[in-house]
Amino acid sequence: MPNLKFAFRTLFKTPFVTIVAIVSLALGIGANAAMFSLFNQILLRAVLGHLTKIGASLPVGFAS
């Protein structure tokens, strides 16, 4: 608990550094989520949709 108090006290002593750290974390997390969403929409769903069509057209008992 004393470490947590020290961490918050240090953050409040340097507000500019705190703001820069929070903004950079927010931008990094947001960019990562946006890139994954695009990757998921463009590549993963297209490839998985194509594979399920291939699997549906195989003869019965071929893909076990």
Side-chain angles (χ1 to χ4, degrees):
M1 194 65 166
N3 290 336
L4 192 59
K5 288 180 184 178
F6 176 71
F8 280 117
R9 188 170 55 231
T10 304
L11 286 175
F12 289 129
K13 281 184 183 178
T14 55
F16 180 73
V17 174
T18 303
I19 291 171
V20 168
I22 291 172
V23 168
S24 64
L25 280 170
L27 288 174
I29 292 169
N32 191 10
M35 285 188 289
F36 177 76
S37 295
L38 287 174
F39 176 74
N40 187 24
Q41 287 290 331
I42 293 171
L43 292 176
L44 291 180
R45 291 198 180 178
V47 169
L48 291 177
H50 183 68
L51 288 176
T52 55
K53 288 178 186 174
I54 291 173
S57 66
L58 292 175
V60 177
F62 185 75
S64 53

